[in-house]
């Protein structure tokens, strides 16, 4: 009798799968046009003005050595066709090998009408920086607040410089730090 129950359970699952699978596989007709979730080039478009870019650059710099940058961008203009300047709010997260940065700032994109595939990205942002491991020219396990200025040419390469003031230290010592980053992306 025990063997009988052992065979009934798998048999029941097979029957359920046989009848349920065709129903799950049927395509349904959609009455409204579905909004595209991805905007292409590895971005997640939340709305017409909001986009998440999971990886926008790979960088090397001080103090966090190698890092990647992800960002959320809110575009202020709704009509962006044939505009020379685009104004955006940018929130970025840059985890690295020996530190990480969180930034909020203004991003401007200059794209001349004569070269639609070319753009110059500029960004000014306030940054919260945390170090760990063995950072370059910084003490590990410290938190800094500062500002960065960044620029990029058409997703090819970027460069950024920053000034950070230490805001956490168990000994009461404060320190200032200059940082730089170069990389591929914006």
């Amino acid at each position: 009798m025990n063997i009988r129950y052992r065979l009934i359970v798998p048999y029941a699952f097979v029957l359920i799968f046989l009848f349920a699978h065709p129903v799950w596989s049927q395509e349904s007709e959609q009455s409204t046009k579905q909004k595209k979730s991805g905007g292409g080039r590895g971005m997640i478009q939340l709305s017409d003005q909001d986009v998440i870019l999971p990886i926008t650059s790979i960088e090397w710099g001080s103090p966090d050595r190698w890092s990647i940058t992800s960002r959320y961008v809110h575009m202020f203009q709704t009509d962006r066709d044939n505009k020379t300047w685009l104004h955006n709010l940018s929130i970025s997260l840059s985890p690295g090998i020996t530190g990480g940065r969180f930034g909020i700032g203004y991003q401007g994109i200059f794209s001349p009408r004569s070269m639609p595939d070319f753009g110059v990205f500029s960004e000014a942002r306030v940054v919260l920086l945390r170090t760990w491991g063995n950072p370059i020219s910084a003490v590990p396990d410290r938190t800094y607040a500062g500002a960065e200025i960044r620029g990029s040419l058409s997703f090819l390469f970027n460069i950024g410089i920053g000034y950070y003031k230490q805001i956490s230290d168990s000994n009461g010592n404060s320190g200032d730090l200059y940082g730089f980053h170069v990389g591929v992306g914006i």
Side-chain angles (χ1 to χ4, degrees):
M1 191 156 171
N2 195 4
I3 295 173
R4 188 173 172 193
Y5 286 115
R6 286 185 191 169
L7 293 176
I8 290 175
V9 172
Y11 185 72
F13 279 114
V14 169
L15 286 175
I16 290 170
F17 181 77
L18 285 175
F19 290 109
H21 182 68
V23 173
W24 289 336
S25 300
Q26 288 181 0
E27 291 184 22
S28 63
E29 199 173 305
Q30 295 181 356
S31 59
T32 60
K33 195 173 188 179
Q34 193 173 19
K35 189 173 182 178
K36 202 175 184 183
S37 62
R41 295 188 190 184
M43 66 175 133
I44 301 166
Q45 191 156 359
L46 301 174
S47 71
D48 186 45
Q49 292 178 269
D50 299 296
V51 66
I52 293 175
L53 303 161
I55 298 179
T56 57
S57 72
I58 299 171
E59 305 170 345
W60 188 89
S62 170
D64 49 359
R65 300 183 189 265
W66 286 104
S67 65
I68 60 170
T69 300
S70 301
R71 71 181 73 225
Y72 160 80
V73 177
H74 173 75
M75 297 171 254
F76 292 120
Q77 291 112 324
T78 55
D79 179 27
R80 295 180 294 275
D81 294 335
N82 299 320
K83 298 279 184 175
T84 304
W85 272 102
L86 298 175
H87 306 281
N88 306 316
L89 168 73
S90 175
I91 300 174
S92 61
L93 182 62
S94 302
I97 294 174
T98 60
R101 293 171 288 139
F102 174 75
I104 300 174
Y106 166 81
Q107 180 187 54
I109 302 172
F110 172 72
S111 180
R113 291 181 186 168
S114 60
M115 297 183 287
D117 294 333
F118 177 78
V120 177
F121 296 79
S122 60
E123 187 173 13
R125 62 185 178 188
V126 293
V127 176
L128 190 62
L129 165 71
R130 178 71 181 175
T131 60
W132 54 76
N134 186 20
I136 298 173
S137 68
V139 180
D141 303 321
R142 299 291 189 266
T143 304
Y144 298 83
E148 290 182 353
I149 298 173
R150 303 174 49 82
S152 174
L153 289 175
S154 290
F155 292 99
L156 296 177
F157 70 92
N158 65 57
I159 187 166
I161 58 171
Y163 173 77
Y164 316 96
K165 185 148 185 82
Q166 186 174 322
I167 59 174
S168 75
D169 186 4
S170 59
N171 299 331
N173 299 333
S174 64
D176 296 349
L177 171 67
Y178 289 95
F180 73 92
H181 293 87
V182 292
V184 177
I186 59 171

